[in-house]
């Protein structure tokens, strides 16, 4: 960070950073100017950002009138699976992108217009505010590209249905930006970070089976956060194994049950599951990322996705 012009290289020089998260790396550059190699300052920033994110969760759930909003925020703040995201200095990308992501959610929910018109007027000041916050999230960590899809899930739960004019059209630029960021990030993972080679040669069926097992793993670690480790053993995905298909059957069974029982249980459980799976999608194996060389799962991958199940539990299923 002592090289002259490094702050500009972070943003504009191809290959200067292995993953194009310029806002995160700029934050590191600024912190290094403030406290150099002393680690305390970096840890304090991460903790403060995580506390901010917990407060944003509380306000978002309050806007949605979800029971147990404070309990959900507390669970998010203190859940053991988030220790990795907060304690690791390098995971500033999680806490920083989370602050932008959750702020965008809160602005949407506070400004969402009632009636049949667009929930967020295309091109309005509020719309631009949300778009800039979303861009900030993407420039901190590309996994936040799931934001517009997650927002549609929440809006569908809150309003009962989605329409093209009211809900989808105002978010079309968000989906375009998300797609561009996702494709570029996947390309960077392969060409700059090194997510390529025989280890990543998985067929579609294997990737589907991997995604199911990963979803079950993340749900299990949320429910029972024991034996959390830095690197989990890398699974062998064998399509001829009955256990591999059992994970898929379990995941599909839970999803179908939430869909069929939505009139009896309400739309909350289905929305929570869709938010969970959709927000985790970039880390489920359909996109190759370098950590898959060592393990297909990591606690920090579910930092934002965990909000779905956490909210459902905190509300006692009454959402």
């Amino acid at each position: 960070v002592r090289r002259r012009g490094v702050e500009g290289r972070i943003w504009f020089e191809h290959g200067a950073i292995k993953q194009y998260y310029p806002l995160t790396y700029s934050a590191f550059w600024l912190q290094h100017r403030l406290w150099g190699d002393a680690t305390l300052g970096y840890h304090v920033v991460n903790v403060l950002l995580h506390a901010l994110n917990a407060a944003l969760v509380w306000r978002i759930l309050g806007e949605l009138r979800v029971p147990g909003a404070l309990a959900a925020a507390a669970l998010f703040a203190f859940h053991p699976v988030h220790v990795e995201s907060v304690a690791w200095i390098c995971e500033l990308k999680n806490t920083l992108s989370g602050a932008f992501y959750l702020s965008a959610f809160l602005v949407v929910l506070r400004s969402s217009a009632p009636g049949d018109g667009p929930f967020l007027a295309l091109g309005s000041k509020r719309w631009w505010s949300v778009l800039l916050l979303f861009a900030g999230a993407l420039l901190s960590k590309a996994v936040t590209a799931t934001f517009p899809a997650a927002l549609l899930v929440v809006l569908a739960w809150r309003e009962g249905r989605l329409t093209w004019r009211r809900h989808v059209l105002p978010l079309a630029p968000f989906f375009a930006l998300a797609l561009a960021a996702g494709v570029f990030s996947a390309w960077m993972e392969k060409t700059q970070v090194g997510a390529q080679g025989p280890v990543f040669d998985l067929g579609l069926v294997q990737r589907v089976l991997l995604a199911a097992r990963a979803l079950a793993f993340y749900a299990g670690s949320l429910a029972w956060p024991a034996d959390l480790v830095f690197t989990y053993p890398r699974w062998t995905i064998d399509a001829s194994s009955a256990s591999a298909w059992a994970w898929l059957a379990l995941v599909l069974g839970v999803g179908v049950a939430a869909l069929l029982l939505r009139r009896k249980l309400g739309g909350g459980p289905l929305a929570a599951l869709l938010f969970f799976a959709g927000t985790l999608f970039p880390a489920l194996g359909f996109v190759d990322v370098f950590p898959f060389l060592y393990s297909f799962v990591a606690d920090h991958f579910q930092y934002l996705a965990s909000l779905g199940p956490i909210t459902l539990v905190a509300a006692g299923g009454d959402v």
Side-chain angles (χ1 to χ4, degrees), residues 52-246:
L52 170 63
N53 292 341
L56 288 169
V57 168
W58 173 53
R59 293 305 307 136
I60 288 168
L61 297 180
E63 289 290 330
L64 291 169
R65 298 182 181 179
V66 173
L70 186 58
L75 275 173
F76 176 77
F78 297 110
H79 200 291
V81 298
H82 296 152
V83 169
E84 196 169 274
S85 293
V86 182
W88 289 7
I89 291 174
C90 66
E91 285 306 316
L92 173 68
K93 57 190 176 184
N94 255 6
T95 55
L96 182 61
S97 65
F100 283 108
Y101 176 101
L102 294 169
S103 295
F105 245 105
L106 185 57
V107 172
V108 168
L109 296 175
R110 282 186 167 178
S111 60
S112 183
D116 297 326
F119 77 96
L120 192 63
L122 190 67
S124 66
K125 289 183 179 180
R126 294 277 188 174
W127 184 89
W128 279 109
S129 296
V130 177
L131 185 65
L132 288 173
L133 287 168
F134 177 48
L138 289 174
L139 293 171
S140 302
K141 190 174 184 180
V143 73
T144 54
T146 58
F147 169 79
L151 184 56
L152 285 182
V153 168
V154 173
L155 292 173
W157 165 77
R158 186 178 72 170
E159 301 186 18
R161 67 188 182 96
L162 295 176
T163 64
W164 171 261
R165 180 172 175 269
R166 175 165 169 76
H167 302 102
V168 181
L169 187 59
L171 290 178
F174 289 76
F175 278 106
L177 188 60
L179 179 61
V183 170
F184 182 64
S185 181
W187 177 77
M188 289 284 287
E189 281 285 333
K190 181 167 288 190
T191 62
Q192 299 294 315
V193 185
Q196 56 182 317
V199 172
F200 298 93
D201 291 339
L202 299 174
L204 179 59
V205 171
Q206 288 176 299
R207 291 180 186 273
V208 170
L209 295 175
L210 167 59
R213 183 166 182 182
L215 279 170
F217 169 86
Y218 287 121
S221 63
L222 275 176
W224 188 255
D227 301 321
L228 304 179
V229 296
F230 171 78
T231 300
Y232 294 95
R234 191 178 188 275
W235 305 320
T236 298
I237 308 302
D238 184 3
S240 65
S241 170
S243 62
W245 291 94

